[in-house]
Amino acid sequence: MQISPPILFPRQDNEDYAAWVMRTMPVISHRAYPVNGVNSWHGGIHIPHTDTGALANPLRAVADGVIVYANDPAPVEKRDRKPLNYDGKTDNGCVLIRHEMLIGDDPVLCVFYSLTMHMKQVRPEIQGKVGMRVRRGQVIGTSGMVSGANAYHFQMCCPSEMLKRLCGREQGNLDVSAPGEERTAYGHRYFFLPEGTAIYAGGTPYALSASPCCLIPEALYIAHEGSKTRTLRKADGIYASVGEVAVAVDYICEPSPAIGGYKTYSEWIRVAYPGGEGWVDVSSPTINTWTDADFPDWVGWTLVDDDSTPDSQCNSSMVKKALAKQDSDLTRFICKFPLEWNFASFDVRFSWLKAPNDELPEPMSDEDYASLKEHAQALCFFDKLPLENQMELTGLIWHFDPRELMIQLQKAERRLIYYSANGIKNKKMNNFTADDMRHGDLTKEQILAQGRLGLGEKFKFNLFNFNKTVEEHFASMESMAFWTAWGEYAPLIRIMLEKFRKNEGGILRHELLNKAFLEHSNTKECVTKIRGFIIKRLHSNNFCSLSKSALKAINNDIKGIRLPKFTDIDWFNGLGISIHDTFSTRIYIDNFIIDEKESGGISRKKFQVRLTFQIQDHFGLDISDMNCILFENISWFCSWFMLQRYNEYNFKPFINEANFSVWING
């Protein structure tokens, strides 16, 4: 976990991260984001708490970072008097942290700030310690009071130049004419279907209509959220729901003829469209793809930069239009306005309170304005920040609802630490264009020409038998399965043969296959070595989050070890034949938790991390398989080759894919 709420209430069983964040960070409605009760810009949220005792809730750093400012809060008795007590007792303890966080599978570095304000106590070991590193979950103080209520203020913001790195743009909506950034991709996926996109009928992806059932008459926007897809249309700048569809599986298969040469595979997903439901090939070159890393506007992300006034009153037509709606949701609005904790700009930002306006029953008197200004001075800290941080936070900066940004950043925790293809195009995942995935492409004469490598033209020999029927060829393969598939995993080869016989292609995923990989000695050996690589890097960086250089070093370490696969000794459980080697492997790390505890004056650091493997192998034969002397002399192997490659048979090969995770710690 790379980011967590400021108060770590226990996470309930089966509670997803987003629900946990929202539950532990409730908001006082008139002190919400991005405006308060009088429609003045408000850069954070006020989070209530019920702690009234001497030992208040401990507040924690939400992510690894560096202390920029941490003050010594005023004694409790001072919060009861002016200037802190402006409209109720208010604590002035605060901690500002600058965070540098890697985001995405192939990560980029992003910078953001978190501010915790109205703290009763700030830990003495961080007070005045500018530049001190803190870890996610480290206690930085305790919750206090604001305006007479048990609550604290929490906000997250980033410098203007960081927004483009974070979401790919600095203004406006997502550019649907260009695909998203693959390098930093993470989370859910999103698609834009231009007008005229073909939709195909069929209850399952294995039985699609030969021709489209519909060419959509208008552009549609798709949010693919794992178990479902949501479809929206845009009219008058507003996204309206078309419908949603439960998705049991995405069907990945060989490229459709219409897009051959562009992709190594086609991917079919089921979507709603005006008039029904159907399948669309989202790998088509006319359909662009994005992920959560692109902050799509059709799922609510909105960049608000239309308030050019220098004061703190919200004059954004975008915000006002949203607030006018019933049940308006501004949690995904990213708003550009000045940091509110700079006392030097107070009059510029708040003089409007003394003039007639629609938000106040009557203008503020000079006396009340002076009291407010004195109160603000007791809380502001901008002039006490280091110069480099002042430069990042000067002028207009971008603010987020901290809950939504935390949910977003946690989606970006996963790291790709190994990819066996590393720039080798034909070794990519889902490669249906490799030679061993070809089918029905050889004549009888071309097949009979195989099997002579090492024996010479004069001694050409093979066991290709064209007198056998298709059923007899399958019987030969099934006989092989009977003699080589024993024990717990024996059903796997029969499952694979059944899929081959169905001639459906695509990808085979099965829990038994996952289990076979997970429990194999090669996998256990691989996991043990990767654990050692991670421990080595953590010891070298004092158990801080893994940097890009550390991730690269781990990748290089993994290149030198044996990856999970089945070897010769596995031939008699059916796996050595069906998945003797592997075509492509990806290894990810996520849910990385680093804990530091003191015991007897000794600091003990521990970590826990989840390794996730995605492994693919091709259930298909290429030309070289039939020219290695051994296999050309095995009748069932020749039957397999003929069923797949002979143009009179044309049975589709497929990809076997294993997905499994292993927790490691140390």
Side-chain angles (χ1 to χ4, degrees):
M1 186 182 301
Q2 62 180 356
I3 191 165
S4 55
I7 295 182
L8 287 178
F9 292 116
R11 190 168 167 183
Q12 298 171 356
D13 292 342
N14 300 320
E15 184 177 29
D16 68 28
Y17 181 86
W20 178 53
V21 168
M22 288 299 185
R23 179 175 61 83
T24 60
M25 299 177 69
V27 178
I28 297 175
S29 59
H30 65 283
R31 295 292 182 89
Y33 169 89
V35 293
N36 60 20
V38 293
N39 280 349
S40 178
W41 287 119
H42 188 230
I45 57 177
H46 282 201
I47 303 173
H49 62 87
T50 58
D51 234 341
T52 57
L55 298 175
N57 287 126
L59 295 171
R60 302 172 184 270
V62 298
D64 292 356
V66 173
I67 296 294
V68 173
Y69 177 72
N71 70 328
D72 182 9
V76 172
E77 60 271 15
K78 284 194 174 183
R79 74 178 181 189
D80 301 342
R81 304 193 302 265
K82 288 185 176 183
L84 289 177
N85 188 344
Y86 169 69
D87 56 354
K89 300 176 181 180
T90 300
D91 286 297
N92 72 329
C94 74
V95 176
L96 180 66
I97 302 175
R98 185 181 187 271
H99 306 274
E100 292 186 353
M101 181 178 288
L102 295 177
I103 60 172
D105 288 358
D106 182 9
V108 298
L109 186 68
C110 285
V111 172
F112 64 93
Y113 286 81
S114 70
L115 171 67
T116 312
M117 171 62 82
H118 307 310
M119 300 168 68
K120 181 190 296 185
Q121 299 168 334
V122 172
R123 296 286 292 187
E125 63 267 24
I126 69 172
Q127 291 179 18
K129 300 293 178 62
V130 175
M132 174 183 172
R133 291 197 61 84
V134 291
R135 301 180 187 276
R136 182 201 63 81
Q138 181 175 336
V139 175
I140 57 175
T142 56
S143 53
M145 299 187 72
V146 54
S147 301
N150 290 317
Y152 62 98
H153 171 100
F154 184 73
Q155 74 180 85
M156 296 174 71
C157 58
C158 77
S160 289
E161 64 272 14
M162 275 295 137
L163 189 71
K164 187 171 184 179
R165 191 178 298 180
L166 188 64
C167 68
R169 62 189 186 281
E170 297 173 281
Q171 61 182 12
N173 297 331
L174 193 62
D175 179 8
V176 296
S177 68
E181 174 60 63
E182 290 186 17
R183 187 164 161 239
T184 57
Y186 61 81
H188 297 321
R189 294 187 301 155
Y190 305 91
F191 309 97
F192 173 71
L193 312 185
E195 178 184 341
T197 297
I199 305 291
Y200 290 79
T204 71
Y206 299 107
L208 298 179
S209 57
S211 57
C213 65
C214 169
L215 299 179
I216 58 174
E218 60 180 320
L220 297 175
Y221 301 80
I222 307 296
H224 191 339
E225 298 172 346
S227 61
K228 66 179 181 181
T229 61
R230 290 192 296 122
T231 304
L232 303 101
R233 57 151 62 100
K234 188 176 183 180
D236 299 325
I238 303 298
Y239 295 101
S241 175
V242 173
E244 64 180 48
V245 177
V247 177
V249 64
D250 292 353
Y251 182 56
I252 296 175
C253 62
E254 61 184 316
S256 301
I259 65 166
Y262 290 94
K263 298 276 187 176
T264 59
Y265 64 94
S266 283
E267 180 181 4
W268 297 88
I269 65 170
R270 193 165 180 81
V271 300
Y273 66 93
E277 297 178 6
W279 296 88
V280 61
D281 184 357
V282 294
S283 66
S284 166
T286 63
I287 297 176
N288 284 329
T289 303
W290 302 270
T291 69
D292 276 319
D294 300 290
F295 290 65
D297 44 290
W298 58 89
V299 290
W301 290 108
T302 305
L303 273 57
V304 178
D305 62 352
D306 63 337
D307 183 358
S308 59
T309 57
D311 60 39
S312 70
Q313 187 175 27
C314 175
N315 295 304
S316 164
S317 60
M318 298 169 70
V319 171
K320 289 183 176 180
K321 185 177 180 180
L323 288 173
K325 297 179 185 176
Q326 190 175 10
D327 300 323
S328 59
D329 181 7
L330 279 68
T331 58
R332 291 191 172 186
F333 276 41
I334 307 172
C335 300
K336 195 174 188 180
F337 54 86
L339 186 73
E340 60 194 280
W341 307 104
N342 184 358
F343 183 69
S345 62
F346 181 85
D347 286 325
V348 173
R349 291 184 291 116
F350 290 105
S351 291
W352 63 274
L353 294 170
K354 297 190 294 181
N357 63 83
D358 296 334
E359 304 299 340
L360 296 173
E362 58 183 48
M364 185 176 284
S365 68
D366 289 341
E367 182 180 358
D368 287 342
Y369 182 82
S371 295
L372 174 62
K373 187 172 182 177
E374 189 180 6
H375 175 69
Q377 188 172 22
L379 297 174
C380 287
F381 55 82
F382 183 83
D383 60 319
K384 301 180 180 67
L385 302 182
L387 181 59
E388 60 268 27
N389 302 114
Q390 288 189 23
M391 292 177 65
E392 283 192 325
L393 297 174
T394 293
L396 300 176
I397 61 173
W398 292 98
H399 299 76
F400 303 80
D401 183 305
R403 300 166 301 171
E404 282 291 352
L405 183 59
M406 291 172 69
I407 293 168
Q408 187 80 352
L409 292 176
Q410 182 55 30
K411 293 178 184 177
E413 181 194 25
R414 189 180 74 164
R415 303 282 177 266
L416 179 61
I417 61 169
Y418 181 78
Y419 183 15
S420 60
N422 271 345
I424 304 174
K425 184 177 180 182
N426 67 345
K427 281 289 186 179
K428 288 186 176 181
M429 288 280 177
N430 305 327
N431 187 352
F432 285 84
T433 60
D435 184 66
D436 59 3
M437 298 303 290
R438 297 177 184 273
H439 55 93
D441 60 326
L442 299 177
T443 64
K444 177 179 178 179
E445 291 72 22
Q446 288 173 318
I447 290 177
L448 288 172
Q450 308 304 317
R452 58 188 179 184
L453 188 64
L455 299 177
E457 192 72 33
K458 186 176 179 180
F459 301 100
K460 182 169 58 178
F461 177 78
N462 56 51
L463 293 178
F464 296 121
N465 188 342
F466 285 87
N467 294 320
K468 285 184 178 181
T469 65
V470 167
E471 287 302 319
E472 287 173 327
H473 283 301
F474 271 109
S476 177
M477 294 189 72
E478 288 165 359
S479 175
M480 171 274 298
F482 175 81
W483 289 107
T484 61
W486 304 344
E488 180 181 5
Y489 305 117
L492 273 174
I493 185 61
R494 291 174 174 82
I495 292 169
M496 294 175 192
L497 285 176
E498 182 182 355
K499 183 173 178 66
F500 188 42
R501 185 186 283 269
K502 287 181 179 178
N503 200 18
E504 59 190 17
I507 295 180
L508 173 67
R509 302 180 180 95
H510 198 281
E511 281 303 315
L512 194 59
L513 181 59
N514 297 340
K515 188 173 185 290
F517 268 103
L518 178 61
E519 297 185 349
H520 197 277
S521 58
N522 284 349
T523 300
K524 294 177 181 178
E525 179 184 347
C526 176
V527 168
T528 298
K529 290 184 176 180
I530 293 175
R531 176 181 179 273
F533 300 150
I534 292 175
I535 290 175
K536 177 183 176 182
R537 301 304 162 189
L538 289 176
H539 278 298
S540 67
N541 72 357
N542 194 29
F543 274 69
C544 293
S545 298
L546 295 174
S547 63
K548 288 193 69 170
S549 60
L551 293 169
K552 184 176 181 180
I554 292 172
N555 175 273
N556 288 330
D557 289 336
I558 296 174
K559 290 178 182 178
I561 67 175
R562 182 167 62 175
L563 298 172
K565 65 179 180 180
F566 298 92
T567 57
D568 291 347
I569 62 172
D570 300 296
W571 275 53
F572 293 100
N573 61 16
L575 298 175
I577 291 175
S578 56
I579 319 175
H580 180 56
D581 203 348
T582 55
F583 187 83
S584 191
T585 300
R586 284 180 178 173
I587 307 174
Y588 300 89
I589 58 173
D590 63 4
N591 285 328
F592 208 138
I593 299 174
I594 299 175
D595 285 325
E596 183 174 5
K597 295 181 180 179
E598 285 197 9
S599 177
I602 300 176
S603 177
R604 300 184 183 277
K605 302 180 181 70
K606 296 182 178 181
F607 80 93
Q608 184 181 43
V609 64
R610 181 171 63 188
L611 291 177
T612 298
F613 290 79
Q614 182 186 19
I615 301 173
Q616 287 189 346
D617 186 55
H618 295 177
F619 190 93
L621 300 177
D622 59 26
I623 296 296
S624 63
D625 287 329
M626 299 312 303
N627 289 278
C628 63
I629 302 178
L630 173 63
F631 292 138
E632 66 201 26
N633 296 322
I634 301 176
S635 61
W636 63 260
F637 208 83
C638 291
S639 289
W640 182 356
F641 189 82
M642 292 174 65
L643 287 169
Q644 175 187 334
R645 305 297 291 262
Y646 184 30
N647 57 11
E648 295 291 327
Y649 297 158
N650 193 25
F651 282 86
K652 294 180 181 178
F654 54 89
I655 293 175
N656 289 308
E657 180 177 292
N659 294 277
F660 59 93
S661 296
V662 182
W663 285 94
I664 59 175
N665 54 61

